[in-house]
């Protein structure tokens, strides 16, 4: 009787000893969303904002940072209180947590960095409704420990951001001939309106002076095509993602 | 299954924490954010006379913005028939609220900038873009016919498309020197032409892919500047 009790206690203590802070599992959580488990191209979450904000590089970067921060922090908080959340109201509870975090960021920016606040204001609503945030809370944070949920949130935010920035670069370069507002390619002609063509006076860009901006690239439709092509390439290259059903 | 009692208590605790923390934070930051908003609006007004300032409006410090308003800016409030309203300052008139009133009851804010480079009349206009409201300030030169500068802003236009009215400085620059009266002397406003301007004296280039916003700017300017005409014709 006494012997079995001791044995049980020993068994219970074993797993606690061998858990590194950043081991194989955490690495996988952080890097998987960048490739095989990308929120946009594989999970197909957050596509709406990926179409809406990617016409220029700068807003894409801002959105990527904002979503990464919100996904990571809300995963952390949700995971900390996950055992107290009644199952029938869990989604409402998650929504409250996300909304509170986003509003805190908004209020602090409004008081201490008004310029960034003004730039972000259009996107703040888009962050709360971003499917990735709720999706990761439901799929991961509700069933895992805080630290891992935090890593998972960062990983998914980065995976989302990587796609956003790539789409943003393609669209701004081909649609406006600029990158972050700096003219790169396009005709060098002062008579031509800025909005139709951009001038690249010298250097690398002058080789592409024949290029006329593709106005389709500025429209959200272009993002749809670019994201679809990315999904196509990724799925045909990665054996894990090939659907055999 | 959780009991109803547990669910109710959980939701109450969660919402109380959310409400208390957000209210506390808002109260703590309110005065700062109001101040930021005031300076932001004044800076936007100065942007329309940006060419006639010592520094570009974005480089002015908050205190310098307020100082220019104290020393060189005359604030007038008009009604729709062009009569000056006493006892009220232009900065207290919120065009967003005025737009909801019937047209004849509206108040108009007018700023008169007295610089050593001349006198400028700064008009505020507001209209609709594609998704939400757009607004702007237009500075007229002393002749009350030539545009000295313009600045635009919006609530929720698409980045890269309609949002270019604010984000792309080359859009607002186009308005400098445009005439709001035709050669025959009729009031025309300024037209944002889809594609390229036909007549550079009265028209500016539209934004590719943002026709609705461009047309919204035209409508806003033609209607908004006309509101000030009764007063401008009198003085």
């Amino acid at each position: 009787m006494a012997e079995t009790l001791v044995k049980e206690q020993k068994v219970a203590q074993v797993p606690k000893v061998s858990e590194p802070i950043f081991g194989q599992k955490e690495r996988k959580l952080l890097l998987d969303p960048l490739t095989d488990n990308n929120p946009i191209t594989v999970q197909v979450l957050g596509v709406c904002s990926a179409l809406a904000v990617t016409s220029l590089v700068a807003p894409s970067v801002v959105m990527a940072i904002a979503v990464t921060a919100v996904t990571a922090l809300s995963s952390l908080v949700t995971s900390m209180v996950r055992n107290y959340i009644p199952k029938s109201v869990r989604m409402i509870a998650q929504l409250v947590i996300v909304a509170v975090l986003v509003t805190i960021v908004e209020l602090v920016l409004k008081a201490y960095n008004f310029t960034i606040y003004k730039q972000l204001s259009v996107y703040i609503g888009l962050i709360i409704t971003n499917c990735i945030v709720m999706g990761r809370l439901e799929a991961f944070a509700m069933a895992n420990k805080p630290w891992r949920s935090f890593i998972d949130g960062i990983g998914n935010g980065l995976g989302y951001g990587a796609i956003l920035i790539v789409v943003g670069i393609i669209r701004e370069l081909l649609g406006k001939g600029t990158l972050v507002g700096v003219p790169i390619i396009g005709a060098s002609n002062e008579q031509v309106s800025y909005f139709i063509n951009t001038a690249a006076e010298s250097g690398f860009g002058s080789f592409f002076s024949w290029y006329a901006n593709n106005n389709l690239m500025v429209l959200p439709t272009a993002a749809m095509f670019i994201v679809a092509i990315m999904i196509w390439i990724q799925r045909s290259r990665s054996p894990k993602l090939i659907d055999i059903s | 299954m959780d009991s109803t009692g547990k669910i109710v208590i959980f939701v109450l605790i969660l919402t109380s924490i959310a409400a208390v923390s957000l209210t506390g934070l808002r109260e703590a930051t309110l005065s700062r954010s109001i101040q930021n908003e005031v300076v932001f609006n004044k800076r936007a007004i100065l942007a329309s006379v940006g060419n006639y300032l010592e520094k570009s409006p974005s480089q002015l410090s908050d205190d310098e913005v307020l100082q220019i308003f104290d020393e060189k800016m005359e604030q007038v409030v008009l009604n729709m028939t062009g009569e000056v309203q006493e006892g009220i300052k232009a900065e207290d008139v919120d065009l967003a609220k005025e737009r909801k009133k019937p047209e004849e009851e509206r108040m108009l804010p007018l700023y008169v900038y007295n610089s050593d480079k001349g006198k400028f009349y700064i008009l505020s206009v507001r209209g609709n873009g594609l998704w939400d409201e757009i607004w702007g300030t237009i500075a007229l030169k002393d002749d009350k016919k030539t545009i000295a500068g313009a600045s635009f802003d919006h609530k929720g236009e698409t980045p890269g498309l309609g949002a270019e009215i604010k984000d792309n400085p080359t859009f607002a620059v186009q308005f400098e020197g445009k005439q709001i009266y035709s050669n025959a002397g009729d009031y025309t406003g300024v037209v944002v032409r889809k594609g390229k301007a036909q007549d550079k004296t009265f028209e500016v280039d539209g934004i590719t892919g943002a026709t609705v916003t461009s047309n919204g700017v035209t409508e806003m300017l033609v209607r908004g500047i006309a509101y000030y005409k009764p007063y401008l014709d009198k003085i």
Side-chain angles (χ1 to χ4, degrees), chain B residues 117-133:
Chain B
K117 288 166 187 158
K119 199 172 186 182
F120 298 93
Y121 298 91
I122 304 175
L123 323 180
S124 304
V125 293
R126 206 171 176 97
N128 292 322
L130 172 61
W131 302 112
D132 216 316
E133 292 193 302

Side-chain angles (χ1 to χ4, degrees), chain A residues 52-53 55-56 59 81 83-89 92-94 96-97 99-100 103-104 107-114 117-119 121-123 176 191-196 215 218-220, chain B residues 1-2 6-7 10-11 14-15 18-19 21-22 25-26 28-30 32-33 36-37 40 135 153-161 164 166-168 170-171 174 195-196 200 205-209:
Chain A
V53 303
S55 60
L56 300 173
V81 297
N83 294 329
Y84 306 101
I85 301 179
K87 287 281 167 283
S88 49
V89 292
I92 296 172
Q94 292 160 6
V96 171
I97 292 169
V100 167
T103 315
I104 288 176
L107 285 172
V108 169
L109 284 179
K110 198 175 179 184
Y112 295 100
N113 198 333
F114 203 73
Y117 165 78
K118 276 285 168 190
Q119 284 172 359
S121 59
V122 190
Y123 308 115
K176 291 193 170 289
Q191 296 305 309
V192 179
S193 157
Y194 184 92
F195 296 105
I196 296 171
N215 292 333
V218 184
L219 304 173
Chain B
M1 270 312 275
D2 297 293
K6 192 194 160 189
I7 294 172
F10 174 81
V11 171
L14 184 70
T15 45
S21 55
L22 290 184
L25 189 63
R26 191 187 136 78
T29 57
L30 193 60
R32 274 194 73 105
S33 44
N36 285 338
E37 193 87 52
F40 181 85
W135 58 91
D153 204 345
H154 62 94
K155 197 168 174 190
E157 300 304 296
T158 320
L161 295 171
E164 294 283 281
K166 173 187 162 217
D167 296 341
N168 195 329
T170 55
F171 179 72
Q174 296 185 90
K196 280 183 74 176
K200 294 242 176 223
D205 297 348
I207 300 167
T208 311

Side-chain angles (χ1 to χ4, degrees), chain A residues 181-201:
Chain A
V182 181
I184 305 285
I185 56 172
S188 168
N189 184 351
E190 277 183 19
Q191 296 305 309
V192 179
S193 157
Y194 184 92
F195 296 105
I196 296 171
N197 249 321
T198 340
E201 298 284 318

Side-chain angles (χ1 to χ4, degrees), chain A residues 35 38 40-44 163 223-243:
Chain A
T35 54
N38 190 284
I40 294 182
T41 59
V42 180
Q43 301 176 45
V44 199
I163 300 287
M224 194 84 183
F225 290 127
I226 296 169
V227 170
I229 290 169
M230 284 170 137
I231 294 177
W232 179 22
I233 294 173
Q234 193 183 4
R235 295 216 171 188
S236 51
R237 289 178 71 101
S238 170
K240 273 193 227 168
L241 301 174
I242 293 171
D243 190 358

Side-chain angles (χ1 to χ4, degrees), chain B residues 23 101 176 183 199:
Chain B
T23 321
K101 292 184 191 167
E176 287 165 18
N183 293 334
D199 186 338

Side-chain angles (χ1 to χ4, degrees), chain B residues 64-100:
Chain B
E64 283 171 321
V65 170
L66 297 174
Q67 196 190 350
I68 291 175
F69 265 78
D70 279 345
E71 290 170 4
K72 294 181 176 171
M73 206 62 98
E74 205 181 307
Q75 299 197 20
V76 184
V77 178
L78 308 170
N79 67 8
M80 294 300 280
T81 51
E83 285 153 0
V84 177
Q85 307 292 300
E86 298 297 332
I88 180 167
K89 284 176 93 180
E91 62 183 69
D92 299 325
V93 177
D94 183 356
L95 260 194
K97 284 180 191 154
E98 298 298 323
R99 269 193 91 206
K100 297 198 177 87

Side-chain angles (χ1 to χ4, degrees), chain A residues 139-156:
Chain A
F140 198 90
M142 285 299 285
N144 286 280
K145 288 183 179 155
W147 174 240
R148 283 193 182 161
S149 303
F150 182 71
I151 305 261
D152 176 75
I154 291 193
N156 276 280

